[in-house]
Structure formats: C-alpha cells, structure tokens
Amino acid sequence: MSAPPKSDVPVISPNELSEADGFVFGFPTRFGMMAAQFKAFLDATGGLWRAQQLAGKPAGIFYSTGSQGGGQETTAYAPSYPWFPSPLPRWIRY
C-alpha cells in the first residue's frame, strides 16, 4: 500500500496478550468485516485460548466506517466470536 513505515508506533505480538489485564481493540470496517490484519492477529491467539491464558480478561472493541450503513452493525460480531464461551451463541438451537 506504499504507506511509509511508522517506526515510533509500538506493536504488540499476540503472545504478549497474556501479560495484559484486559484489552481494547480498535480497527476500521472493511465492508462489514474487520480488517484482514486484525483477523490475522486474532487468529494467532489460538494457542493462548487453548491454554486458557486469556480466560477471564475483560475485552472491548471500537470500530469506525467512512459511511452510514458501511457495515458497522455486522463488524461488531466478527471479532467477538473468539470471546464467546462456546463455539456458537447460546440462542442458536439445533
């Protein structure tokens, strides 16, 4: 994307999340989904979830879009799936 690198901005690795007391993540919407970079970051936390290193930590998100109806209503669901206590929300019945 040819943006200049920002060397003075701290970057956290997924493994460092276990040291945090909680998290608040912010990201732009991409047509109703989170940015691919943020999804890759969340995907890299699988080992921490498996080892219960993130259990019980409060988490929050904020996001923005450049237009009304730009997907913000569905963007809130996408990153929250890893934080659900079960694979599917409790209101889904078989």
Side-chain angles (χ1 to χ4, degrees):
M1 296 208 294
S2 69
K6 297 179 174 46
S7 60
D8 59 337
V9 176
V11 177
I12 188 170
S13 73
N15 290 329
E16 293 175 278
L17 290 178
S18 61
E19 300 171 18
D21 294 328
F23 340 99
V24 176
F25 296 111
F27 50 90
T29 61
R30 298 285 199 273
F31 302 103
M33 293 298 295
M34 63 184 124
Q37 297 89 336
F38 185 64
K39 182 172 184 331
F41 181 85
L42 279 184
D43 288 346
T45 64
L48 297 173
W49 289 108
R50 187 175 48 251
Q52 296 289 308
Q53 293 180 1
L54 303 179
K57 295 187 182 221
I61 60 169
F62 62 95
Y63 47 89
S64 65
T65 182
S67 64
Q68 185 176 16
Q72 61 270 30
E73 60 283 340
T74 58
T75 303
Y77 293 116
S80 60
Y81 289 125
W83 300 323
F84 284 151
S86 63
L88 295 173
R90 298 183 196 287
W91 48 267
I92 294 178
R93 303 271 185 214
Y94 293 104

